[in-house]
Amino acid sequence: LPLAIELAAARLRLLSPEALLHQLGDRLRLLRSGARDLPERQRTLRATMDWSYELLTPDEQGLFQVLAVFADSDLTAIEAVAASADLGDGGTPDVLDGLTSLIEKSLIRRVDVPGSETRFAMLGTIREFARDRLDQHPDVAARVTHAHASYYADLVQRTRPDLTGADRLAALSGLAAEVGNLRLAWRYWVAREELAQLEKLADGLLILNEARGWYLDTVGLTTDMLAVLSRSPHSPDRINQEIALRTSLARALMSTKGYTPEVEEAFGKGLELFERGGTQSHQQFTAIRALASLYNLRGDSQRGTQLGRELLAFAEEVEDPEMMVEGHLLVGSNEMFVDDLVGGLEHLDRAIAIGATLAPHAFSSRTGGNDPRVACFTTSAITLWLLGYPERAAERMNGALTLAGELSHPFTDAFARFHSCVLHVWLRDFETVVERSAELLDIAEDHGFQIWKAAGTTVRGAAQVGVGRVEEGLANVAAGMHLYQGLRSPPVFWPLLLSIQAAAFLNAGRPAEGLSRIDPAIEMMSADAGTSLLSEFYLLKGDLLLALATRHGRDVAEAEHWYGLALDRARALDVGISQLRAATRICRVGAAGERDSTMRMLAQIAARFDDGPLSHDLREAKELLEDLARAE
């Protein structure tokens, strides 16, 4: 940087090439020897820029000052701001000619962007000098800065319709190129508490941040807006706006930091406002949805289901298809998780059908979290697996990945890949999990998604154990679990990750360590009515006890007891895959005197299922029946 500055200064003094080389050599020797300190170099550079500035024409000086308010920009914006600022002296100078002259004098540089309009930029030191010169004329400085902030607020407002339309990618790229100017404009309007101008900017910036995964920017933006709102007159519209902002803040915080007290506080304040005076509107729907999400994250599926039904009723009343998707998702996911797999799947299938009629980026203005249409695919995939349809489950999960890829939404992409990893762990397709978890971790690292980094590291480790990389895998599982605990992450995921860790210990031949993980998972999953996954947790505990009993020559009665609990639970909720897996184990370890009845039971259950490449449990059941039949 010092050499670049010296080079610019030398060019400004119009030195000959020989003199330029001589002076640069002197500067290098001085810099290496430390003979000149930084303040002296700064004084020399300032004197050079003062001299060069005085050589500019008045029009060039005016344009040079205008450029000080930009991060960098294209010709259109510079012309608009220069015209709006009303620089006087007989009208607006010719901006293009002025830019050309300033480039020749090395005061600005031209930046060619492929597929976009040429941009013009200043070195930081030169911009500071230009800003100093501008500030010497307070009236002009006020007009130029105001014109700049107004231009970019209006630019975002004009661009807003395209951010969710067919030209979305181009519109996002255009805003991303202007992000430096947008942040300058944002700070200007925040300082003046101009809510109307901030609303113009926020509406588009929230979508841009969401699309790029810039959740830390969203935290700052929503915090600024809430501060300005707090000093605005109260009204129903302001209350609804604050509800939406607090929901966005909570989701952005949770995306980057996990389930922290700040997340709960942000959700809680938004919901308190709703109860005090939110109106029957989209903001009301947003508030109830936020509350339902909060209950689900806490593991209170009963309350989540109740609110989901309220959401669905409201969505159907106003005939809003986007709301219907979210309403069906909330009801369906809670039903399948608690006690009604078939009913839950019907809601999820309905949501998928409605979602297919929507525009590709219908939910792109929603801040934080994943696209609900992708969640419908992932949740229904898990439901199909529990019902006993592994092939359909894998197909549905691939649909989630395809849709997430089309949306180009980082958080949704991470969400889909994590759930795909979980499903394929259950399918014992560990090679696929290794591949997809690596992709998940890349996304999490790029965007600071700490929850997905923790969960992705855990499932990656479990898959590595599954393919024989035992020590590496267990180390990754431990690292992922440690990171997840440190995040104060959503309780709803913790039992699942504990079960994945327990299964990894089982596959690694360390069942005793697995038992210490599955027991707290079962305790959490057994709260209230329990869940449709509970039978799988019982099965895993039985497998761990069986491995210990086999190793130490003990009786397998305790393992058989847990298999029986799993079968009873699976029958009560009609969890097909768990019925098949439990019956297979009971038939394998049961007493010889009960062999005929257990074989009949297993044969009846197995007859319900279709075979396929991923139907490992069905093939195991059939092979066991064949082996036992031959033994008799």
Side-chain angles (χ1 to χ4, degrees):
L1 181 58
L3 286 176
I5 294 172
E6 295 292 349
L7 175 60
R11 291 183 64 187
L12 287 172
R13 291 193 293 271
L14 304 177
L15 297 178
S16 67
E18 295 78 8
L20 173 59
L21 288 173
H22 178 75
Q23 181 161 322
L24 284 176
D26 289 343
R27 289 286 185 265
L28 275 172
R29 287 189 291 275
L30 288 169
L31 286 170
R32 287 170 178 167
S33 65
R36 299 191 64 183
D37 58 11
L38 181 59
E40 183 177 347
R41 293 202 302 275
Q42 290 174 332
R43 285 193 296 271
T44 300
L45 180 59
R46 176 65 187 226
T48 301
M49 287 193 292
D50 282 337
W51 181 80
S52 301
Y53 177 80
E54 297 302 330
L55 294 179
L56 299 175
T57 68
D59 282 351
E60 290 171 346
Q61 289 178 353
L63 180 59
F64 181 67
Q65 293 173 21
V66 167
L67 293 173
V69 302
F70 289 91
D72 61 42
S73 191
D74 57 29
L75 177 62
T76 302
I78 296 170
E79 287 179 331
V81 171
S84 298
D86 186 20
L87 299 179
D89 296 330
T92 303
D94 188 310
V95 172
L96 183 57
D97 286 347
L99 291 172
T100 302
S101 177
L102 293 175
I103 289 171
E104 290 172 352
K105 295 177 173 63
S106 299
L107 285 170
I108 65 172
R109 57 195 176 93
R110 173 176 174 159
V111 181
D112 292 319
V113 182
S116 182
E117 191 174 345
T118 297
R119 302 184 70 82
F120 302 90
M122 282 180 166
L123 291 173
T125 305
I126 296 176
R127 181 182 293 107
E128 291 174 8
F129 173 82
R131 184 74 213 199
D132 287 343
R133 285 289 183 163
L134 177 62
D135 290 340
Q136 292 175 18
H137 309 281
D139 291 343
V140 176
R143 292 199 305 272
V144 171
T145 310
H146 182 87
H148 174 274
S150 298
Y151 175 84
Y152 282 102
D154 291 341
L155 173 68
V156 175
Q157 188 178 45
R158 291 195 305 272
T159 306
R160 171 63 178 85
D162 294 332
L163 295 174
T164 55
D167 295 329
R168 179 173 184 268
L169 293 180
L172 287 170
S173 296
L175 281 191
E178 298 290 359
V179 72
N181 289 303
L182 297 178
R183 288 169 179 165
L184 289 170
W186 179 264
R187 290 196 289 272
Y188 178 88
W189 294 121
V190 167
R192 284 153 185 78
E193 297 189 352
E194 290 279 355
L195 194 56
Q197 297 290 347
L198 290 172
E199 288 169 350
K200 291 181 184 179
L201 285 162
D203 202 22
L205 282 175
L206 286 172
I207 296 175
L208 174 64
N209 291 345
E210 183 67 24
R212 293 293 192 266
W214 296 342
Y215 291 113
L216 291 178
D217 283 358
T218 292
V219 170
L221 184 152
T222 51
T223 301
D224 286 343
M225 281 286 283
L226 287 168
V228 175
L229 270 177
S230 69
R231 293 183 286 274
S232 302
H234 285 285
S235 69
D237 286 343
R238 288 290 175 263
I239 292 173
N240 289 331
Q241 189 174 17
E242 186 172 348
I243 290 169
L245 284 169
R246 291 198 180 279
T247 301
S248 296
L249 174 61
R251 291 181 177 277
L253 285 168
M254 192 162 60
S255 297
T256 54
K257 296 184 178 181
Y259 186 66
T260 63
E262 298 111 306
V263 171
E264 195 159 358
E265 180 184 7
F267 271 134
K269 286 185 176 179
L271 294 163
E272 179 185 342
L273 285 166
F274 161 66
E275 292 170 357
R276 284 206 326 245
T279 58
Q280 188 86 356
S281 65
H282 191 279
Q283 280 76 18
Q284 180 193 32
F285 182 90
T286 300
I288 301 177
R289 182 188 65 198
L291 180 56
S293 299
L294 183 60
Y295 281 121
N296 288 336
L297 289 170
R298 289 172 172 171
D300 188 349
S301 54
Q302 183 176 1
R303 182 65 175 136
T305 300
Q306 178 184 341
L307 287 174
R309 293 189 184 283
E310 291 180 23
L311 283 176
L312 185 55
F314 177 65
E316 290 174 342
E317 179 183 344
V318 299
E319 298 181 344
D320 187 312
E322 294 175 23
M323 292 183 183
M324 289 181 192
V325 169
E326 298 205 67
H328 280 295
L329 170 61
L330 281 168
V331 175
S333 58
N334 280 307
E335 284 191 352
M336 64 76 53
F337 189 68
V338 177
D339 59 5
D340 187 1
L341 288 172
V342 174
L345 184 61
E346 289 174 356
H347 279 286
L348 295 167
D349 285 344
R350 179 64 180 149
I352 290 172
I354 296 172
T357 68
L358 300 177
H361 298 286
F363 295 93
S364 59
S365 60
R366 171 180 171 173
T367 301
N370 53 283
D371 190 297
R373 291 169 295 184
V374 172
C376 291
F377 275 92
T378 59
T379 308
S380 61
I382 290 172
T383 306
L384 286 165
W385 180 77
L386 289 169
L387 286 168
Y389 305 113
E391 309 293 334
R392 290 175 59 191
E395 180 182 354
R396 186 65 63 88
M397 192 63 78
N398 287 337
L401 292 173
T402 299
L403 178 56
E406 292 170 353
L407 296 174
S408 299
H409 182 243
F411 194 89
T412 295
D413 205 356
F415 175 91
R417 290 183 189 281
F418 169 70
H419 286 84
S420 174
C421 287
V422 171
L423 176 64
H424 284 272
V425 164
W426 292 338
L427 293 172
R428 289 175 274 179
D429 181 7
F430 297 117
E431 294 287 354
T432 295
V433 180
V434 169
E435 176 185 343
R436 290 182 182 172
S437 62
E439 296 166 349
L440 166 60
L441 290 173
D442 285 343
I443 297 170
E445 190 67 33
D446 288 344
H447 298 280
F449 297 155
Q450 295 303 303
I451 288 178
W452 297 131
K453 180 178 180 180
T457 302
T458 302
V459 292
R460 179 171 177 79
Q464 288 169 330
V465 172
V467 297
R469 294 154 56 183
V470 174
E471 294 306 319
E472 179 186 7
L474 289 178
N476 275 327
V477 170
M481 298 292 279
H482 178 74
L483 178 57
Y484 195 87
Q485 284 180 289
L487 290 171
R488 293 193 54 161
S489 302
V492 69
F493 285 146
W494 186 239
L496 174 63
L497 294 179
L498 281 172
S499 73
I500 289 173
Q501 185 180 35
F505 277 122
L506 176 64
N507 292 334
R510 294 160 58 172
E513 292 169 86
L515 278 173
S516 67
R517 272 68 176 184
I518 197 61
D519 283 338
I522 289 174
E523 182 179 355
M524 284 183 278
M525 281 293 211
S526 300
D528 299 323
T531 73
S532 54
L533 280 173
L534 188 56
S535 51
E536 283 297 305
F537 285 45
Y538 289 165
L539 280 172
L540 180 53
K541 180 162 184 177
D543 289 344
L544 291 162
L545 290 167
L546 180 62
L548 279 173
T550 302
R551 175 176 297 177
H552 299 292
R554 298 173 184 167
D555 190 274
V556 299
E558 191 176 3
E560 191 173 4
H561 166 74
W562 284 96
Y563 292 149
L565 290 178
L567 182 60
D568 291 342
R569 177 76 183 177
R571 280 174 166 168
L573 300 183
D574 198 23
V575 184
I577 194 68
S578 300
Q579 290 183 59
L580 179 65
R581 286 153 60 83
T584 301
R585 286 158 172 77
I586 291 171
C587 192
R588 181 180 290 125
V589 304
E594 301 174 352
R595 185 63 47 80
D596 288 344
S597 62
T598 58
M599 287 178 65
R600 284 195 299 273
M601 173 188 68
L602 178 57
Q604 289 172 355
I605 293 173
R608 295 173 45 188
F609 294 88
D610 296 327
D611 203 351
L614 297 175
S615 303
H616 306 296
D617 295 297
L618 178 60
R619 285 196 295 277
E620 285 184 2
K622 288 181 175 180
E623 289 170 3
L624 176 61
L625 288 171
E626 291 171 0
D627 291 343
L628 293 175
R630 283 194 296 269
E632 292 182 353

